[in-house]
Amino acid sequence: MSTIDKAPLRCVLFDLDGTLLDTAPDLGAAVNHVLVSEGFAPLSDDVIRQTTSHGALGLLRAGLGDELLEELGAGRLRAALLDHYAANLCVGTRPYEGMLDLIEWLDERALPWGIVTNKPGFLTEPLLAALPALANCGVTVSADTLPVRKPDPAPMYYACERLGVEAAHCLYVGDHVRDIEAGRNAGMRTAVAGWGYLHDDEDPADWGADLQFDTVQALHHWLRYELS
């Protein structure tokens, strides 16, 4: 972990899939529904978890490869995946272990927190509505909230503006290199969610984050210390 001195922490922002919520069960069910419907083998749980951060096309590509995906119609298959997923958004999806305790602690401290995700709003909003424990989320920035998405810093600045804090006083937590890039581009402190959808070939130590945590509990412990 970096020991670089930073501005006092006044806000925590989270990525959604693979950081705040384990959405892989429902995304995996959606891609496997499409693959099996097309006559192909389903993806394993391990492949799903390592590919979920790459979105619908990334999941389809993992099952079909580039050439076959294009031959069958990437747009058609992506639409079928998203239709199935939208109808089954919160069947197996759950907050990661310890996350609700962390959110409750942030709420008790009245420390603003929010979500900046590359998930489109038509999926993000109903998913969060299905999880009342996250009702105190101060801001949600989806892929289509602004004309640009992460790793562009604009969604990060927008979240800070809505929460009334400066970017330098925020911690952004995410499980993908674009999350760390987005936070760094905005001048935030950044942390890798090591419990998320990391690929075996990735080394988060190369991403340039200030911090890295293997568990939600470790993040919670650090926040308690930082804000004591």
Side-chain angles (χ1 to χ4, degrees), residues 156-204:
M156 320 301 282
Y157 290 134
Y158 178 83
C160 291
E161 181 182 349
R162 294 291 301 273
L163 293 174
V165 296
E166 296 291 332
H169 294 282
C170 285
L171 172 70
Y172 187 60
V173 186
D175 70 318
H176 195 278
V177 63
R178 66 172 167 262
D179 298 324
I180 304 307
E181 291 173 352
R184 291 178 60 195
N185 290 341
M188 296 179 178
R189 204 178 319 190
T190 57
V192 174
W195 59 86
Y197 303 141
L198 305 180
H199 196 279
D200 286 343
D201 295 336
E202 295 176 311
D203 184 358

Side-chain angles (χ1 to χ4, degrees), residues 34 38 60 69 71-83:
V34 173
E38 296 287 327
L60 289 166
L69 177 58
E71 180 182 326
L72 294 172
R76 177 182 70 85
L77 296 183
R78 179 179 183 274
L81 187 159
L82 293 180
D83 284 347

